[in-house]
Amino acid sequence: MQLPPHRELSRQFSVAITTVTRAVNRLKAEGVLVCRRGQGTTIAEPRPPEVGKDNRRVMLINPLNEKLNLTLSQAVNEVFMETEWRVETYCACANLSWYARFLKDCHNKPPAGLLLVPVSPKFFHFTPDLMPVPGTKTVIWGLPVPGLKADSISASPFGEGIVLGDYIAARGFRRILYITQGADIGREERDTLRGMEQVLRRKGIPFGADNIQNYPDSYSFGPMRDPERGAFEYTLKLIRKSERLPELMIGGHDGITYGILRALLSAGIKVPEEVSLLSAETGYDRLLVSIPGYAITAFNNMYHLRTRIAAERLLSRLEGNNDLPTHCEVMGRLIEGNTVRKMIENNPITEEILL
């Protein structure tokens, strides 16, 4: 905001104009006020806090759940265990208010290093007061954050789509439905779907906008988090109004996939005999078994490996590496469970697709 004229300030505070002038000049010297030609005197933007020379704090800010937080924390500590840097882990447990508070604390009391796990722009917006200060060495675990110059380590979504497309085509599926949450589809999911579509189109399998459904999600974030509920409710509605179910349903991640599985079982649909089920993202290196008898077939996004690479990059920055920021993509692998039907031998449809 612009400062009123000196004469007006003199009248407002009942002091001499010379007193106002001395006060304004002092505030200019302290950086509180800025004088620009043609703009008058204005309040300066607050200076961000600085990182102290002896600061040895490294923060991991994670918006995800506690299970995944253990994976991330272990990977970071493997890298920093025998160094002088002290790692502090902050898990928001999918509560966006907590996440924002951790980011604000990082801004106001900046650590030397930050490993930041961002939330999708579908659910969260980074304002200036939530950004790390320039003196904090930052590595992003995920896609780059707009306006933040930092290294980033992410999955390779297009490559994952290629792997998923090949897997689907090899099993002869032709009626496919991909289900995800949120008002729109984020960049990573779009790239995954683009990779899948490229493979399936080449194999003669229909896959386009009609094969993708996204539902409004009000359960994934908050103090009473339940990532399965939205998918469960949406899938039940889908089952009731559909005359013909897809052969394969794909959940955008584990929470969605388990919600779909519960809905299918609740409706008396056999998995994988009547409908097969696949998760496009998991952070675990083992089969996920949440419902007795069902281990989800899922694409493992290599959370532990990505975190180690991010932590190693952050350590190199703290040790003086001033190269330009880089973006690195890590490829995952498919974990075979029992929710996708086995490949049928001598299936003419499958053979034709493979050719």
Side-chain angles (χ1 to χ4, degrees), residues 128-150:
D129 61 320
L130 303 180
M131 293 286 225
V133 302
T136 296
K137 306 294 184 182
T138 304
V139 176
I140 302 168
W141 188 100
L143 288 177
V145 174
L148 178 57
K149 292 182 179 179

Side-chain angles (χ1 to χ4, degrees), residues 110-329:
L114 170 65
L115 182 56
L116 175 63
V117 184
V119 176
S120 168
K122 292 194 291 184
F123 302 104
F124 191 81
H125 176 62
F126 280 87
T127 53
D129 61 320
L130 303 180
M131 293 286 225
V133 302
T136 296
K137 306 294 184 182
T138 304
V139 176
I140 302 168
W141 188 100
L143 288 177
V145 174
L148 178 57
K149 292 182 179 179
D151 300 298
S152 59
I153 315 294
S154 71
S156 175
F158 183 77
E160 292 172 5
I162 297 291
V163 174
L164 289 168
D166 284 333
Y167 179 84
I168 292 164
R171 278 149 184 78
F173 293 111
R174 297 193 68 80
R175 297 194 313 279
I176 304 159
L177 184 65
Y178 181 95
I179 298 178
T180 189
Q181 92 279 35
D184 59 5
I185 294 178
R187 174 182 158 187
E188 285 183 282
E189 276 190 303
R190 280 198 299 271
D191 287 347
T192 299
L193 292 169
R194 190 164 53 88
M196 282 176 53
E197 183 181 9
Q198 180 173 300
V199 173
L200 297 177
R201 187 173 64 246
R202 192 170 66 242
K203 304 287 186 179
I205 301 171
F207 188 83
D210 293 340
N211 302 90
I212 302 166
Q213 299 284 336
N214 54 315
Y215 58 90
D217 179 34
S218 56
Y219 301 114
S220 286
F221 293 95
M224 300 296 290
R225 179 177 184 261
D226 184 357
E228 299 178 17
R229 184 172 174 179
F232 174 82
E233 293 176 352
Y234 179 80
T235 306
L236 276 183
K237 291 179 184 176
L238 200 65
I239 292 169
R240 289 173 187 142
K241 70 179 183 181
S242 298
E243 297 180 2
R244 191 185 187 194
L245 288 173
E247 297 172 281
L248 172 68
M249 297 180 80
I250 306 171
H253 58 68
D254 295 335
I256 297 171
T257 308
Y258 273 124
I260 296 170
L261 176 58
R262 292 183 188 280
L264 292 172
L265 297 179
S266 176
I269 297 167
K270 295 179 180 178
V271 178
E273 294 85 353
E274 295 178 71
V275 176
S276 290
L277 191 57
L278 175 66
S279 172
E281 177 183 344
T282 180
Y284 303 97
D285 296 326
R286 60 192 182 281
L287 292 173
L288 292 180
V289 182
S290 177
I291 301 173
Y294 292 95
I296 294 290
T297 298
F299 194 92
N300 177 16
N301 294 88
M302 298 290 188
Y303 279 38
H304 187 275
L305 176 60
R306 286 161 60 188
T307 309
R308 267 203 67 100
I309 294 172
E312 288 167 355
R313 185 66 178 175
L314 179 57
L315 181 58
S316 77
R317 291 298 192 190
L318 292 168
E319 292 177 341
N321 179 355
N322 293 315
D323 294 345
L324 292 174
T326 59
H327 174 68
C328 171
E329 289 192 346

Side-chain angles (χ1 to χ4, degrees), residues 9-60:
L9 287 172
S10 172
R11 285 198 303 269
Q12 183 178 345
F13 294 103
S14 300
V15 294
I17 291 181
T18 54
T19 303
V20 172
T21 302
R22 284 201 307 272
V24 168
N25 289 339
R26 179 175 171 180
L27 290 171
K28 286 179 184 177
E30 292 176 359
V32 178
L33 298 178
V34 177
C35 186
R36 296 186 180 91
R37 182 172 294 179
Q39 296 181 9
T41 303
T42 57
I43 309 295
E45 289 288 335
R47 292 178 182 174
E50 296 181 356
V51 178
K53 292 181 180 178
D54 297 327
N55 190 322
R56 291 294 178 265
R57 295 172 58 225
V58 173
M59 289 179 70
L60 163 62

